[in-house]
Amino acid sequence: MLSLANRSSFNTLLEAVSLNPGLDNSDLEIQAIIYMETGKPAVQVTRRRFQEQVQSYASGLLNLGLGAGDLAIIAHTQNLESIYAFWAALEIGAIPSMFPTITEKLDPEIYLRSIAELARLSEVRAILTNDEFAPLLAADMPCPVVGSGQVSQSATGVDRDSFAHHAARPDEIAFLQHSSGTTGLQKGVALSHQAVLNQIANYSQTISLNKSDVIVSWLPLYHDMGLIAGFILPLVQGIPLVLMSPFDWVQHPALLFRAIHEHQGTLCWLPNFAYNHCARRIRRRDSDKLSADTMRLFVNCSEPVYQESHQMFLERF
């Protein structure tokens, strides 16, 4: 695992354990991601499968003309494909940036106008999204909009064994993290490989991260806590990530406790409102047979912290 003690041994995010071709067979069969949806069996992705999916997606992006230095917006519903797209962009040296898709809370006209303006100002090379969303975006964007099927078709027949990932420099931009846009057009912050690795090494020490940990998260990947702590950190550190859609969690908050119970979760980040939401919305019949005794940290993040929210959560659970 990456730590402050061995930080100098890691140069880029591409040296993450999950993508290291030098892993032996037993390491490759360890779970990298467990994706959960309400009413469906969990999808378990081993490190080997994760590596294969990322390299296949990366081959598709290369065949579509994306390469080193190209900025790619990923506007997927949060799912496994959005994860593969992000790491595939890193693999070829492109610069990914996670974006939300349209929801009932967003005005479609404002959303499309903002994305188009960002794509123009930032000289975005391509927008990667799902097939359902692609036609809506394509009508207004100043760059190509690539659907899932197009990437998949582009990767067909590619020999993954011949794939070589981009030789990134430590100071090279890894990805863009955009602000929420509350006060205007979103601002993109360029994060280098070394900056993110420094954060992961320091934060891992602060929370005493270890190989027995399991991170459980529903946080959106287009926000910094969900992107760094709830996504990049577990994949770099080689510990399991149990992931779910934020939209699924909001509608079915007991899914979080089911994930913790079934997969022995130990770490979870929750903004303050989530403590209230869980305490008020999770029915006792949906939580009575679930245990959270493997948890060692619930981390309150990203919003002002209120004692009454913690107290309500503590009393309810």
Side-chain angles (χ1 to χ4, degrees):
M1 294 178 68
L2 168 67
S3 66
L4 290 176
N6 67 7
R7 170 65 188 85
S8 60
S9 300
F10 290 76
N11 295 310
T12 73
L13 291 168
L14 297 177
E15 296 172 0
V17 174
S18 303
L19 295 177
N20 188 336
L23 290 173
D24 63 34
N25 287 333
S26 60
D27 286 332
L28 287 171
E29 298 313 317
I30 293 174
Q31 300 300 325
I33 303 170
I34 301 164
Y35 188 77
M36 296 189 67
E37 290 184 80
T38 299
K40 296 182 180 180
V43 178
Q44 305 204 24
V45 181
T46 64
R47 295 181 190 178
R48 184 192 303 279
R49 180 62 175 164
F50 180 69
Q51 183 179 36
E52 291 172 349
Q53 291 293 104
V54 168
Q55 290 180 351
S56 176
Y57 208 100
S59 298
L61 296 182
L62 283 173
N63 288 342
L64 288 169
L66 269 73
D70 289 336
L71 179 57
I73 286 177
I74 300 170
H76 274 275
T77 303
Q78 185 160 306
N79 56 22
L80 287 171
E81 186 178 354
S82 62
I83 291 173
Y84 300 146
F86 182 90
W87 282 91
L90 289 178
E91 282 279 283
I92 65 173
I95 302 171
S97 183
M98 290 290 199
F99 265 72
T101 52
I102 292 180
T103 69
E104 63 275 4
K105 293 185 177 182
L106 297 176
D107 182 293
E109 185 176 341
I110 295 175
Y111 173 88
L112 292 170
R113 186 167 63 243
S114 297
I115 295 288
E117 183 67 1
L118 278 169
R120 184 185 65 81
L121 291 173
S122 302
E123 299 182 347
V124 172
R125 178 68 177 79
I127 298 175
L128 310 177
T129 188
N130 54 48
D131 289 332
E132 181 182 359
F133 195 35
L136 178 63
L137 277 177
D140 295 288
M141 296 301 118
C143 62
V145 176
V146 181
S148 306
Q150 194 174 349
V151 177
S152 179
Q153 185 176 6
S154 177
T156 302
V158 174
D159 180 11
R160 287 196 299 265
D161 293 335
S162 64
F163 183 87
H165 71 235
H166 172 69
R169 303 185 314 274
D171 61 350
E172 194 171 299
I173 297 172
F175 56 88
L176 295 189
Q177 168 64 59
H178 278 82
S179 64
S180 62
T182 304
T183 59
L185 193 66
Q186 293 100 316
K187 279 68 172 186
V189 179
L191 299 177
S192 67
H193 288 269
Q194 63 187 7
V196 178
L197 290 173
N198 288 341
Q199 166 68 8
I200 290 173
N202 279 278
Y203 197 59
S204 295
Q205 177 170 298
T206 299
I207 62 175
S208 301
L209 192 76
N210 61 79
K211 290 185 177 180
S212 63
D213 276 319
V214 175
I215 288 177
V216 180
S217 180
W218 56 263
L219 296 177
L221 301 183
Y222 51 83
H223 284 314
D224 57 350
M225 188 60 73
L227 182 65
I228 306 296
F231 170 47
I232 294 176
L233 182 147
L235 292 177
V236 167
Q237 296 291 37
I239 64 174
L241 166 61
V242 185
L243 189 67
M244 62 202 75
S245 160
F247 305 110
D248 194 2
W249 171 79
V250 165
Q251 294 179 3
H252 308 99
L255 180 62
L256 176 70
F257 282 87
R258 184 162 69 83
I260 291 168
H261 174 85
E262 292 180 2
H263 302 287
Q264 292 76 58
T266 63
L267 298 167
C268 181
W269 287 263
L270 299 173
N272 195 87
F273 89 88
Y275 293 83
N276 302 327
H277 188 63
C278 286
R280 292 169 176 160
R281 291 288 305 278
I282 296 178
R283 299 172 299 186
R284 292 195 177 275
R285 70 185 187 207
D286 292 330
S287 64
D288 281 347
K289 295 182 180 180
L290 303 179
S291 170
D293 63 1
T294 57
M295 288 295 298
R296 62 183 189 83
L297 283 178
F298 283 100
V299 184
N300 197 323
C301 62
S302 306
E303 292 179 355
V305 175
Y306 292 99
Q307 164 66 10
E308 55 266 31
S309 301
H310 284 177
Q311 193 62 36
M312 185 188 304
F313 187 83
L314 178 63
E315 290 174 0
R316 169 63 181 82
F317 300 109

